[in-house]
Amino acid sequence: MITLVSALLALGVTGAETATGAAGSSDLYVSPSGDDQANGTVQHPVRTLERARDLARDRVADLNGDLTVHLASGTYRRSKPLVLDARDSGANGHKVVWQGTGNTVVSGGRKVAGWQKDEGRPGLWSAPAPQGLTDTRQLYVDGVRAQRARGAVPVALTQTATGYTASSGTLAHWKHPSDAEFVYTSGEALWNIERNGLGQWTEPRCRIAAAEGTTITMAQPCWDNSNKRVEFPDIPGRTVSMVGPGRLTNGGRATYIENAYELLDQPGEWYLDRTEHRVYYLPRAGEDPTRADIELAQAEKLVDGRGTASAPVHDVAFRGLQFSYATWLTPSRPEGFSEIQAGYTITGDKGWATQGLCQYVEGGTCPFASWTKMPGNVSFAHGQRIEFSDDVFAHLGASGLDLGAGSADSAVSGSIFTDISGNGLEIGGVDGQTPAAGVQVTNNHLYGLPREYHGGVAILNGYTRHNTIAHNQIDHVGYSAISMGWGGWPDKIGDPATANPSHDNAVRDNLISDYMQMLDDGGGIYTQGLTGTSTADGEKVTGNVIHDQLGLGKSVYTDNGCTYETIEGNVLYGASYANVGSRHTDYRDGLGNNDPTLIKGNWWEEGTADGDNKGLVTSGNKIMSTPSDVPSEVLANAGLEPAHRGLLNRKIGAAAAPEAPSRVGTGTAGADALQITFNPSFADGGSPVTGYTARAYDARGSQAGEQSVSATEFKRTALVRIGGLPVSGGPFTVTVTARNAHGASAPSPASLPLTPTAVRALPGAPTGAKLRTASTAATVAWTPPTATGDAKVIGYRVTVSDGRAPIDVRGRDVLVTQPSAKGMFRVLGGLTPGTSYTVTIAAVTAAGTGPTATVTATTKP
């Protein structure tokens, strides 16, 4: 009896069900140790998901309650997806429920066994690749993602029409140069951090096709799609796509190179030799490959719901399941990853010439900006009343979940999305097909992503209707948290935004923090294109709490063509550029108005006065100096509702050291010192990052200096200073490691070289100073000085006439706003109503504090 009860519990049958028979008589049972010749009863479970699916097909017609497919604890390995179509739908108002037990994993991984030390390389281990696995992009050790071998490009490269000419034949002598992939990381070009890629929000990738001597030929069509994007003949530099440049910037310089045996030099790196059919791995401290669970991702999809407009998949639920260890191989193929925005790419042999360019070029495909969306490792097209609840999407190589065109009346709730290579959750599309409608995304936790395609977002919402994204917590993401809409870019050339079917979408009561941790020009909530036909049915962004942005962007970003959006009752602080922006002209009627937008009743730091700027209405917003200025019930209402807050305590994968920081830049701080900035780790290994260590190396590779800083201090200042360097001993490069309770990360890719120099000239005064007042607070705003002497601005000193101590303004926004001359702002609290205040602002560099800009205003009575 004890054995039977244990078996029932393992299959997800509760004690009450055992005693009363409450589990439906038509229910099915699956176990990794089952037998597909069995009949799927609790005593005789089947083994595979396909067998359970086929048995369910025979039972749905007569349903008088939900049909539950109980999946016992364990791992269900997939080399191909579980394919569902209309035959796998519920019936008679009931669902087919795929029910896990909380430890049920649907896996596309293959376990790697037979590890042995590599005799030729101390510390390196290798093992035969699993039979049948021909390629992958991901390897995991005890549930912790490992880094494909990467490093600096070992030669100087001069861009050509088909690739590069190298300064030497180094790459041609690698074992398999055609496996290697160039990565072009963008972001703002602050200090000596380069802006590579195809826009500050992108990170394209292209593979090498061949290396012969000093000639590097890049794979096609990735190379042309990234370098031949059509430009308007009469608008120099403006691509017909109107999104980003026409070719890889900075002379096509790659930020780093990835996936080569020769790059295996850091613990946690791996490489798959497809010719030898062997995988190589450099273990991290404390890892034993012979005892660890090491998984290579093989399947590209785990579940594939293939509905059609005439035969949708409907009334299917997935509960208590974990979807893991799937890959996506298109970026490894000649197609590559020629990114446009948010994981959308240009594809096809002539994609650069026609794809999504519609009426603007002969042969352009429509609708405008219809590019190729990143696939989901779990996906549904034309799915109706599809439910995902209490699920985990982790250790995945594309997007986690895609509810594509034709999705309707579906829900994603109480689930976790983390450690995903690209977008977390995708809804709808932009290809002119049936929009997604009535999708509810509530009470999910999305964090620690994207891990590979860093222009990805946590939630991507295309052309949709009546969708609600509410009460989610999104934190520690590399770019934007939520991206809504599409197709508004034609306003850049004075044309109206592309017509689309979106309306009545709501983004409310979400808690978003620590976003844009790697790339720039995004937001906490970013919207693009038409959102409806009026403010009545346009997008509503309400009750969200959005704070602590790293990259240059906005809390709520209304980008090109964004019309009829209402932004009301949100709490917005800690942004690098603006709390709400930007203003765009509405070209639909030729009257010169702005895109209709209502910004009302928010708590913010920006402090813009009330007014109606040609349809851009700002009304009743309140300046906040600290979160304590906001009613506590407003703050408490954002994010996960109480019943779902346990998601924050769930641990996914083994605890580990953090991911390495990225985009390290250096500035001179005197003849013997460097200032260091970088993008912090947003994948913390399951334990908060506690600090960072920067190390400087001379031209011979010898360490010349080191300095550590706490994570709290770095968040405040965005700086690490390494002093005591040999005078005239440069140039120096710098790497940075992150640490948490479980150890230190691998070093970041190295900075560009820099030689410290003496700093003497003071910066000029800041410009454009303004003081925007409320009754007890005011926002002081300014733009950086036009002249900064011979060093970069690292802070500002703000002095208030009421005698309070001077305020030292530090942080990443100080650094990222300077090269682009974007405005800055800070809030002054504790003011007296109806009182005149004078405020001065001065820039600070390594040379000292410069002259002040002065502004005077009176607080409101």
Side-chain angles (χ1 to χ4, degrees):
M1 184 64 173
I2 294 175
T3 303
L4 177 57
V5 170
S6 300
L8 293 173
L9 291 173
L11 287 163
V13 181
T14 68
E17 289 171 339
T18 304
T20 65
S25 60
S26 61
D27 283 1
L28 293 166
Y29 296 84
V30 193
S31 169
S33 59
D35 182 353
D36 274 356
Q37 301 303 311
N39 56 10
T41 63
V42 65
Q43 295 88 358
H44 303 287
V46 298
R47 183 176 60 84
T48 66
L49 306 186
E50 280 83 1
R51 179 59 177 157
R53 175 202 62 191
D54 293 344
L55 289 173
R57 285 176 177 174
D58 296 333
R59 305 185 185 192
V60 294
D62 300 321
L63 286 185
N64 57 13
D66 289 347
L67 167 58
T68 300
V69 181
H70 300 271
L71 276 66
S73 296
T75 299
Y76 297 82
R77 295 190 179 273
R78 318 286 313 159
S79 60
K80 58 184 180 180
L82 172 67
V83 176
L84 304 177
D85 58 32
R87 295 172 293 173
D88 304 303
S89 304
N92 307 323
H94 303 295
K95 289 183 179 291
V96 175
V97 180
W98 296 78
Q99 177 69 60
T101 65
N103 189 28
T104 303
V105 181
V106 180
S107 169
R110 297 290 302 278
K111 188 175 177 64
V112 185
W115 289 96
Q116 58 187 27
K117 293 182 179 180
D118 192 282
E119 295 181 359
R121 294 274 301 274
L124 186 65
W125 291 65
S126 69
Q131 188 67 32
L133 186 145
T134 58
D135 201 3
T136 188
R137 296 179 65 89
Q138 291 84 30
L139 179 142
Y140 301 86
V141 181
D142 290 329
V144 177
R145 181 181 294 238
Q147 172 63 53
R148 282 205 311 174
R150 68 175 179 179
V153 180
V155 292
L157 297 173
T158 302
Q159 189 172 3
T160 67
T162 58
Y164 300 96
T165 298
S167 57
S168 73
T170 299
L171 294 179
H173 293 94
W174 283 7
K175 290 177 67 175
H176 305 294
S178 61
D179 281 351
E181 183 175 284
F182 284 152
V183 183
Y184 306 88
T185 306
S186 195
E188 289 296 330
L190 70 157
W191 287 9
N192 68 346
I193 298 177
E194 292 181 335
R195 177 190 294 172
N196 300 323
L198 290 160
Q200 299 97 300
W201 54 93
T202 67
E203 190 181 61
R205 294 165 170 262
C206 286
R207 186 172 62 78
I208 294 173
E212 299 176 356
T214 60
T215 299
I216 309 296
T217 303
M218 299 299 290
Q220 295 286 13
C222 187
W223 187 248
D224 281 354
N225 286 338
S226 303
N227 286 288
K228 287 188 175 181
R229 298 180 180 181
V230 181
E231 297 182 355
F232 286 106
D234 54 344
I235 311 177
R238 171 65 71 198
T239 57
V240 174
S241 74
M242 297 173 241
V243 186
R247 61 186 296 128
L248 292 167
T249 55
N250 200 22
R253 179 183 171 94
T255 308
Y256 59 91
I257 188 169
E258 187 172 288
N259 198 41
Y261 175 85
E262 289 76 9
L263 299 173
L264 282 166
D265 61 357
Q266 296 294 333
E269 289 187 333
W270 67 279
Y271 169 69
L272 172 65
D273 189 318
R274 295 183 299 151
T275 302
E276 295 180 2
H277 201 64
R278 195 163 191 86
V279 60
Y280 294 86
Y281 180 60
L282 270 174
R284 304 176 180 98
E287 288 180 337
D288 181 352
T290 63
R291 299 188 179 190
D293 174 23
I294 300 181
E295 304 271 348
L296 284 169
Q298 179 181 29
E300 295 192 68
K301 278 190 183 293
L302 300 174
V303 178
D304 191 4
R306 299 177 183 175
T308 66
S310 59
V313 186
H314 60 86
D315 297 292
V316 181
F318 299 86
R319 301 172 182 167
L321 303 176
Q322 177 169 328
F323 301 97
S324 291
Y325 303 131
T327 190
W328 177 39
L329 295 179
T330 296
S332 295
R333 299 178 180 127
E335 193 76 73
F337 189 73
S338 181
E339 188 171 27
I340 284 282
Q341 183 171 325
Y344 278 85
T345 57
I346 294 180
T347 56
D349 291 342
K350 293 287 185 179
W352 59 271
T354 62
Q355 191 174 33
L357 303 184
C358 206
Q359 73 270 28
Y360 293 108
V361 299
E362 184 177 354
T365 59
C366 293
F368 172 73
S370 175
W371 295 303
T372 302
K373 184 172 65 173
M374 179 184 297
N377 291 134
V378 178
S379 67
F380 275 82
H382 293 281
Q384 299 179 2
R385 297 179 298 282
I386 306 299
E387 173 198 328
F388 288 88
S389 61
D390 191 30
D391 295 316
V392 173
F393 298 84
H395 317 321
L396 297 172
S399 169
L401 171 62
D402 178 23
L403 299 179
S407 295
D409 302 324
S410 296
V412 183
S413 67
S415 295
I416 292 174
F417 293 76
T418 189
D419 189 24
I420 297 170
S421 288
N423 298 319
L425 168 63
E426 299 177 337
I427 313 167
V430 298
D431 53 6
Q433 297 186 36
T434 307
V439 177
Q440 308 290 307
V441 180
T442 59
N443 286 297
N444 303 287
H445 187 200
L446 303 97
Y447 67 97
L449 60 88
R451 297 295 301 273
E452 188 173 1
Y453 311 108
H454 293 116
V457 301
I459 299 176
L460 177 66
N461 183 93
Y463 293 153
T464 62
R465 299 172 176 170
H466 296 285
N467 281 9
T468 298
I469 300 172
H471 285 293
N472 302 286
Q473 178 166 323
I474 304 174
D475 59 87
H476 295 90
V477 293
Y479 180 51
S480 295
I482 299 174
S483 183
M484 305 283 291
W486 207 249
W489 299 285
D491 77 359
K492 291 183 176 181
I493 60 169
D495 283 357
T498 303
N500 73 70
S502 293
H503 61 78
D504 289 290
N505 291 312
V507 185
R508 60 174 177 81
D509 304 320
N510 299 286
L511 176 59
I512 298 170
S513 70
D514 298 291
Y515 58 102
M516 291 177 59
Q517 297 274 292
M518 188 166 181
L519 299 184
D520 295 274
D521 198 7
I525 299 171
Y526 169 96
T527 302
Q528 157 76 237
L530 299 169
T531 76
T533 62
S534 68
T535 53
D537 70 357
E539 182 179 311
K540 305 296 189 296
V541 176
T542 62
N544 303 282
V545 175
I546 305 174
H547 64 91
D548 290 337
Q549 175 190 114
L550 184 82
L552 184 61
K554 294 99 175 175
S555 309
V556 178
Y557 192 162
T558 57
D559 204 3
N560 300 94
C562 177
T563 61
Y564 301 122
E565 181 169 326
T566 297
I567 304 162
E568 183 173 5
N570 303 282
V571 181
L572 312 171
Y573 63 97
S576 289
Y577 176 27
N579 290 137
V580 180
S582 299
R583 180 206 66 79
H584 291 281
T585 301
D586 184 355
Y587 291 101
R588 293 175 301 163
D589 54 17
L591 298 178
N593 293 319
N594 292 321
D595 289 326
T597 307
L598 176 61
I599 307 169
K600 178 182 178 182
N602 301 284
W603 290 266
W604 64 357
E605 296 176 320
E606 187 173 336
T608 303
D610 288 359
D612 184 345
N613 181 10
K614 298 181 179 180
L616 175 59
V617 178
T618 306
S619 173
N621 301 289
K622 297 164 280 291
I623 296 175
M624 55 175 288
S625 59
T626 71
S628 63
D629 294 338
V630 181
S632 58
E633 61 270 20
V634 174
L635 298 174
N637 187 56
L640 300 172
E641 294 178 286
H644 295 276
R645 289 176 186 165
L647 290 178
L648 302 179
N649 300 320
R650 291 188 64 177
K651 302 299 183 184
I652 308 300
E659 184 178 50
S662 64
R663 302 195 72 236
V664 179
T666 56
T668 187
D672 67 343
L674 291 174
Q675 300 277 9
I676 318 300
T677 191
F678 52 88
N679 285 357
S681 305
F682 58 88
D684 62 14
S687 177
V689 174
T690 57
Y692 299 94
T693 299
R695 296 178 175 87
Y697 298 88
D698 62 22
R700 299 183 303 276
S702 299
Q703 184 172 317
E706 176 180 314
Q707 185 61 52
S708 296
V709 65
S710 71
T712 300
E713 179 66 7
F714 181 78
K715 189 170 186 176
R716 186 183 73 83
T717 66
L719 295 173
V720 181
R721 185 181 187 275
I722 301 180
L725 298 174
V727 176
S728 303
F732 300 100
T733 58
V734 177
T735 65
V736 182
T737 57
R739 62 183 180 274
N740 66 10
H742 302 283
S745 73
S748 68
S751 70
L752 292 176
L754 183 72
T755 299
T757 58
V759 179
R760 297 182 177 87
L762 292 174
T767 59
K770 299 180 179 64
L771 195 60
R772 305 163 183 160
T773 61
S775 59
T776 60
T779 297
V780 57
W782 67 92
T783 51
T786 54
T788 60
D790 46 13
K792 305 298 185 182
V793 173
I794 58 173
Y796 293 92
R797 173 153 285 199
V798 177
T799 304
V800 186
S801 58
D802 61 4
R804 69 183 67 189
I807 302 166
D808 288 324
V809 176
R810 297 293 184 96
R812 188 50 172 263
D813 53 347
V814 172
L815 311 182
V816 299
T817 54
Q818 183 185 342
S820 52
K822 300 293 187 183
M824 292 196 60
F825 53 88
R826 283 295 187 276
V827 174
L828 308 173
L831 305 182
T832 302
T835 303
S836 177
Y837 289 89
T838 297
V839 178
T840 64
I841 313 103
V844 179
T845 70
T849 303
T852 62
T854 302
V855 60
T856 299
T858 300
T859 54
K860 295 178 180 179

mmCIF file of all heavy atoms in Angstrom, residues 207-229:
data_model
loop_
_atom_site.group_PDB
_atom_site.id
_atom_site.type_symbol
_atom_site.label_atom_id
_atom_site.label_comp_id
_atom_site.label_asym_id
_atom_site.label_seq_id
_atom_site.Cartn_x
_atom_site.Cartn_y
_atom_site.Cartn_z
ATOM 1 N N ARG A 207 28.994 34.496 -38.785
ATOM 2 C CA ARG A 207 30.012 33.444 -38.770
ATOM 3 C C ARG A 207 31.024 33.656 -39.886
ATOM 4 O O ARG A 207 30.715 34.212 -40.947
ATOM 5 C CB ARG A 207 29.323 32.085 -38.917
ATOM 6 C CG ARG A 207 30.250 30.886 -38.774
ATOM 7 C CD ARG A 207 29.463 29.586 -38.729
ATOM 8 N NE ARG A 207 28.691 29.323 -39.926
ATOM 9 C CZ ARG A 207 29.187 28.859 -41.058
ATOM 10 N NH1 ARG A 207 30.480 28.611 -41.167
ATOM 11 N NH2 ARG A 207 28.404 28.619 -42.082
ATOM 12 N N ILE A 208 32.242 33.196 -39.642
ATOM 13 C CA ILE A 208 33.264 33.166 -40.691
ATOM 14 C C ILE A 208 32.949 32.028 -41.653
ATOM 15 O O ILE A 208 32.640 30.917 -41.230
ATOM 16 C CB ILE A 208 34.663 32.966 -40.073
ATOM 17 C CG1 ILE A 208 35.056 34.181 -39.229
ATOM 18 C CG2 ILE A 208 35.707 32.698 -41.137
ATOM 19 C CD1 ILE A 208 36.347 33.993 -38.445
ATOM 20 N N ALA A 209 33.015 32.296 -42.940
ATOM 21 C CA ALA A 209 32.844 31.236 -43.939
ATOM 22 C C ALA A 209 34.177 30.563 -44.255
ATOM 23 O O ALA A 209 34.237 29.340 -44.405
ATOM 24 C CB ALA A 209 32.231 31.809 -45.219
ATOM 25 N N ALA A 210 35.233 31.369 -44.355
ATOM 26 C CA ALA A 210 36.547 30.798 -44.673
ATOM 27 C C ALA A 210 37.625 31.793 -44.276
ATOM 28 O O ALA A 210 37.413 33.013 -44.312
ATOM 29 C CB ALA A 210 36.657 30.480 -46.157
ATOM 30 N N ALA A 211 38.795 31.252 -43.891
ATOM 31 C CA ALA A 211 39.974 32.066 -43.605
ATOM 32 C C ALA A 211 41.138 31.464 -44.371
ATOM 33 O O ALA A 211 41.560 30.338 -44.088
ATOM 34 C CB ALA A 211 40.264 32.098 -42.105
ATOM 35 N N GLU A 212 41.616 32.186 -45.354
ATOM 36 C CA GLU A 212 42.723 31.722 -46.200
ATOM 37 C C GLU A 212 43.773 32.811 -46.240
ATOM 38 O O GLU A 212 43.535 33.890 -46.796
ATOM 39 C CB GLU A 212 42.229 31.393 -47.605
ATOM 40 C CG GLU A 212 41.190 30.287 -47.626
ATOM 41 C CD GLU A 212 40.641 30.033 -49.027
ATOM 42 O OE1 GLU A 212 41.027 30.786 -49.948
ATOM 43 O OE2 GLU A 212 39.842 29.101 -49.185
ATOM 44 N N GLY A 213 44.937 32.514 -45.654
ATOM 45 C CA GLY A 213 45.953 33.549 -45.547
ATOM 46 C C GLY A 213 45.417 34.701 -44.711
ATOM 47 O O GLY A 213 44.956 34.510 -43.592
ATOM 48 N N THR A 214 45.476 35.888 -45.295
ATOM 49 C CA THR A 214 44.948 37.061 -44.584
ATOM 50 C C THR A 214 43.548 37.445 -45.057
ATOM 51 O O THR A 214 43.025 38.477 -44.643
ATOM 52 C CB THR A 214 45.889 38.258 -44.765
ATOM 53 O OG1 THR A 214 45.999 38.561 -46.162
ATOM 54 C CG2 THR A 214 47.272 37.971 -44.176
ATOM 55 N N THR A 215 42.916 36.616 -45.864
ATOM 56 C CA THR A 215 41.581 36.914 -46.366
ATOM 57 C C THR A 215 40.535 36.206 -45.508
ATOM 58 O O THR A 215 40.533 34.976 -45.401
ATOM 59 C CB THR A 215 41.431 36.468 -47.832
ATOM 60 O OG1 THR A 215 42.377 37.192 -48.624
ATOM 61 C CG2 THR A 215 40.021 36.761 -48.336
ATOM 62 N N ILE A 216 39.670 36.986 -44.897
ATOM 63 C CA ILE A 216 38.567 36.456 -44.098
ATOM 64 C C ILE A 216 37.285 36.671 -44.891
ATOM 65 O O ILE A 216 36.884 37.812 -45.153
ATOM 66 C CB ILE A 216 38.453 37.161 -42.736
ATOM 67 C CG1 ILE A 216 39.807 37.176 -42.014
ATOM 68 C CG2 ILE A 216 37.368 36.511 -41.893
ATOM 69 C CD1 ILE A 216 40.344 35.830 -41.654
ATOM 70 N N THR A 217 36.654 35.579 -45.283
ATOM 71 C CA THR A 217 35.376 35.659 -45.983
ATOM 72 C C THR A 217 34.265 35.339 -44.997
ATOM 73 O O THR A 217 34.300 34.305 -44.330
ATOM 74 C CB THR A 217 35.332 34.671 -47.160
ATOM 75 O OG1 THR A 217 36.428 34.940 -48.041
ATOM 76 C CG2 THR A 217 34.021 34.802 -47.923
ATOM 77 N N MET A 218 33.289 36.230 -44.914
ATOM 78 C CA MET A 218 32.205 36.059 -43.957
ATOM 79 C C MET A 218 31.033 35.324 -44.594
ATOM 80 O O MET A 218 30.827 35.366 -45.811
ATOM 81 C CB MET A 218 31.752 37.410 -43.421
ATOM 82 C CG MET A 218 32.848 38.165 -42.676
ATOM 83 S SD MET A 218 33.461 37.283 -41.211
ATOM 84 C CE MET A 218 32.032 37.419 -40.135
ATOM 85 N N ALA A 219 30.267 34.634 -43.748
ATOM 86 C CA ALA A 219 29.154 33.822 -44.232
ATOM 87 C C ALA A 219 28.063 34.710 -44.813
ATOM 88 O O ALA A 219 27.740 35.781 -44.295
ATOM 89 C CB ALA A 219 28.602 32.969 -43.093
ATOM 90 N N GLN A 220 27.483 34.232 -45.896
ATOM 91 C CA GLN A 220 26.353 34.900 -46.535
ATOM 92 C C GLN A 220 25.093 34.074 -46.314
ATOM 93 O O GLN A 220 25.152 32.858 -46.263
ATOM 94 C CB GLN A 220 26.611 35.054 -48.041
ATOM 95 C CG GLN A 220 27.767 35.954 -48.400
ATOM 96 C CD GLN A 220 27.446 37.436 -48.197
ATOM 97 O OE1 GLN A 220 26.451 37.788 -47.558
ATOM 98 N NE2 GLN A 220 28.294 38.289 -48.733
ATOM 99 N N PRO A 221 23.938 34.746 -46.116
ATOM 100 C CA PRO A 221 23.669 36.160 -46.359
ATOM 101 C C PRO A 221 23.871 37.073 -45.160
ATOM 102 O O PRO A 221 23.549 38.252 -45.240
ATOM 103 C CB PRO A 221 22.203 36.154 -46.763
ATOM 104 C CG PRO A 221 21.606 35.054 -45.954
ATOM 105 C CD PRO A 221 22.669 33.974 -45.898
ATOM 106 N N CYS A 222 24.383 36.548 -44.031
ATOM 107 C CA CYS A 222 24.503 37.393 -42.843
ATOM 108 C C CYS A 222 25.307 38.653 -43.135
ATOM 109 O O CYS A 222 24.939 39.753 -42.712
ATOM 110 C CB CYS A 222 25.150 36.603 -41.703
ATOM 111 S SG CYS A 222 25.180 37.481 -40.120
ATOM 112 N N TRP A 223 26.402 38.491 -43.893
ATOM 113 C CA TRP A 223 27.294 39.631 -44.124
ATOM 114 C C TRP A 223 26.596 40.728 -44.932
ATOM 115 O O TRP A 223 26.613 41.906 -44.543
ATOM 116 C CB TRP A 223 28.556 39.156 -44.827
ATOM 117 C CG TRP A 223 29.594 40.219 -44.968
ATOM 118 C CD1 TRP A 223 30.015 40.804 -46.113
ATOM 119 C CD2 TRP A 223 30.351 40.825 -43.907
ATOM 120 N NE1 TRP A 223 30.983 41.743 -45.861
ATOM 121 C CE2 TRP A 223 31.206 41.770 -44.508
ATOM 122 C CE3 TRP A 223 30.379 40.655 -42.528
ATOM 123 C CZ2 TRP A 223 32.096 42.556 -43.762
ATOM 124 C CZ3 TRP A 223 31.252 41.437 -41.787
ATOM 125 C CH2 TRP A 223 32.092 42.371 -42.396
ATOM 126 N N ASP A 224 25.969 40.354 -46.031
ATOM 127 C CA ASP A 224 25.284 41.371 -46.835
ATOM 128 C C ASP A 224 24.096 41.965 -46.085
ATOM 129 O O ASP A 224 23.840 43.176 -46.163
ATOM 130 C CB ASP A 224 24.807 40.774 -48.159
ATOM 131 C CG ASP A 224 25.923 40.649 -49.179
ATOM 132 O OD1 ASP A 224 27.039 41.127 -48.898
ATOM 133 O OD2 ASP A 224 25.677 40.065 -50.251
ATOM 134 N N ASN A 225 23.358 41.137 -45.355
ATOM 135 C CA ASN A 225 22.213 41.659 -44.622
ATOM 136 C C ASN A 225 22.621 42.636 -43.523
ATOM 137 O O ASN A 225 21.796 43.432 -43.069
ATOM 138 C CB ASN A 225 21.404 40.504 -44.024
ATOM 139 C CG ASN A 225 20.598 39.768 -45.066
ATOM 140 O OD1 ASN A 225 20.298 40.305 -46.135
ATOM 141 N ND2 ASN A 225 20.245 38.527 -44.783
ATOM 142 N N SER A 226 23.886 42.582 -43.124
ATOM 143 C CA SER A 226 24.383 43.481 -42.086
ATOM 144 C C SER A 226 25.174 44.650 -42.649
ATOM 145 O O SER A 226 25.542 45.562 -41.895
ATOM 146 C CB SER A 226 25.274 42.704 -41.106
ATOM 147 O OG SER A 226 24.576 41.623 -40.527
ATOM 148 N N ASN A 227 25.434 44.649 -43.956
ATOM 149 C CA ASN A 227 26.291 45.684 -44.526
ATOM 150 C C ASN A 227 25.769 46.331 -45.802
ATOM 151 O O ASN A 227 26.369 47.296 -46.285
ATOM 152 C CB ASN A 227 27.681 45.097 -44.820
ATOM 153 C CG ASN A 227 28.480 44.876 -43.558
ATOM 154 O OD1 ASN A 227 28.949 45.817 -42.926
ATOM 155 N ND2 ASN A 227 28.628 43.611 -43.176
ATOM 156 N N LYS A 228 24.662 45.829 -46.339
ATOM 157 C CA LYS A 228 24.132 46.391 -47.584
ATOM 158 C C LYS A 228 22.714 46.943 -47.433
ATOM 159 O O LYS A 228 22.001 47.076 -48.423
ATOM 160 C CB LYS A 228 24.142 45.324 -48.685
ATOM 161 C CG LYS A 228 25.511 44.994 -49.236
ATOM 162 C CD LYS A 228 25.381 44.083 -50.450
ATOM 163 C CE LYS A 228 26.714 43.834 -51.105
ATOM 164 N NZ LYS A 228 26.570 42.961 -52.313
ATOM 165 N N ARG A 229 22.295 47.221 -46.223
ATOM 166 C CA ARG A 229 20.933 47.697 -46.033
ATOM 167 C C ARG A 229 20.697 48.958 -46.860
ATOM 168 O O ARG A 229 21.505 49.888 -46.841
ATOM 169 C CB ARG A 229 20.676 47.937 -44.549
ATOM 170 C CG ARG A 229 20.802 46.645 -43.739
ATOM 171 C CD ARG A 229 20.549 46.849 -42.259
ATOM 172 N NE ARG A 229 20.690 45.587 -41.534
ATOM 173 C CZ ARG A 229 20.506 45.442 -40.232
ATOM 174 N NH1 ARG A 229 20.153 46.493 -39.491
ATOM 175 N NH2 ARG A 229 20.652 44.272 -39.653
#
